[in-house]
């Protein structure tokens, strides 16, 4: 019975996916925004979550500014949805037409490629991150961390979509494989800004402490890989804007303790993400509960055990 339920859920998912598989790119963008505009009308729960997150992040905003940002965010979610489901169709010709990379970012990319080192490519739930997954496979020797979905039919579909352009997908449980790929010169993408719960460390992000995964900094520490931060943003007329920041190599002499070094670089990439979010606030994923875990919750749970 469980697998029948999984299959029926898959049919629903696939029915949403199918138009993005056949429609022209610009039509997909319009269709995505049409769908999220409909969702906005009924999705009171996530509108409330987004507004609450924005109040903390931008305490000087009026209620009208918050409402306008939530509306703009839902329009962006339509583009994100379209890019996520359209992205497996990406080609080099499409990249030549729609990808916009400034000179500074392009120089960082080209210099790093010439160095031939492994790269920790750090991004967040910001902009249009599924486009990043696809062009990693086309433009770099790319890999990504992959978390399995409970529904096996949906999991197979998503994995096939994400690996369409040659990106190597590594299950989140197989950290040793990530180390091996980095030492072979792969660029491994980390979308590490989800709530890490008890598994993370607390660092400041958008005016609150946020439980944050240390994976990117830890892998850079263990492998000597270079850290690059990427923003991949939805631009005008279907363009995709890429902004790259060079976070460098881990300096193990920076602090005497390993944990302090890892904290420093985790704070560094989180601060870089924050600066980008402030420039393009409608493109952050405000509907997720990034700050769900707070230090006092961890303290109270520890004291009760």
């Amino acid at each position: 019975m469980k697998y029948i339920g999984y299959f029926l859920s898959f049919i629903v998912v696939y029915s949403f996916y199918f138009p993005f598989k056949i429609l022209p790119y610009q039509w997909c963008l319009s269709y995505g925004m049409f769908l999220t505009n409909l969702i906005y009308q009924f999705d009171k729960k996530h509108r409330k979550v987004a507004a609450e997150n924005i109040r903390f992040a931008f305490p000087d905003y009026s209620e009208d500014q918050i409402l306008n940002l939530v509306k703009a965010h839902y329009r962006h979610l339509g583009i994100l949805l379209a890019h996520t489901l359209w992205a497996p169709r990406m080609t080099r010709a499409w990249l030549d037409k729609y990808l916009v990379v400034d000179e500074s970012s392009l120089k960082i990319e080209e210099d790093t490629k010439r160095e031939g080192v492994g790269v920790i490519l750090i991004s967040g739930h910001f902009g249009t991150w599924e486009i990043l997954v696809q062009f990693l496979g086309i433009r770099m020797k790319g890999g990504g961390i992959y978390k399995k979905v409970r529904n096996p039919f949906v999991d197979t579909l998503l994995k096939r979509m994400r690996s369409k352009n040659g990106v190597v997908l590594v299950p989140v449980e197989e950290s040793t494989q990530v180390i091996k790929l980095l030492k072979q010169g792969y660029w491994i993408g980390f979308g590490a800004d989800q709530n890490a719960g008890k598994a993370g460390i607390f660092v400041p992000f958008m005016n609150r402490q946020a439980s944050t995964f240390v994976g990117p900094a830890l892998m850079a520490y263990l492998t000597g890989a270079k850290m690059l931060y990427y923003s991949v943003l939805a631009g005008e007329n279907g363009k995709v804007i890429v902004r790259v920041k060079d976070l460098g190599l881990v300096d193990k002499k920076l602090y005497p303790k390993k944990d302090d070094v890892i904290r420093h670089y985790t704070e560094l990439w989180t601060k870089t993400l924050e600066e980008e979010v402030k420039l393009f606030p409608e493109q952050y994923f405000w509907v997720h509960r990034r700050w769900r875990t707070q230090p006092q919750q961890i303290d109270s749970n520890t004291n009760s055990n």
Side-chain angles (χ1 to χ4, degrees), residues 25 76 79 83 94-95 97-103 105-106 109 123 126-129 131-132 135 139 229-244 276 279-280 282-283:
Y25 173 62
H76 170 70
I79 297 173
H83 278 161
W94 183 91
L95 286 173
K97 182 175 181 179
Y98 287 101
L99 201 69
V100 179
V101 188
D102 63 84
E103 288 186 12
S105 297
L106 193 59
E109 269 193 2
S123 190
F126 174 60
T128 177
W129 59 84
I131 291 289
L132 174 58
F135 87 63
R139 300 177 74 237
Y229 174 82
Y230 268 66
S231 290
V232 180
L233 302 159
E236 297 290 331
N237 301 316
K239 298 287 187 180
V240 173
I241 301 164
V242 176
R243 293 162 55 90
V244 186
E276 292 289 285
L279 292 174
F280 308 94
E282 75 284 356
Q283 298 201 34

Side-chain angles (χ1 to χ4, degrees), residues 183-198:
K183 290 184 175 181
Q184 292 174 355
Y186 274 80
W187 294 44
I188 305 295
F190 287 78
D193 69 324
Q194 293 175 306
N195 174 55
K198 293 181 181 180

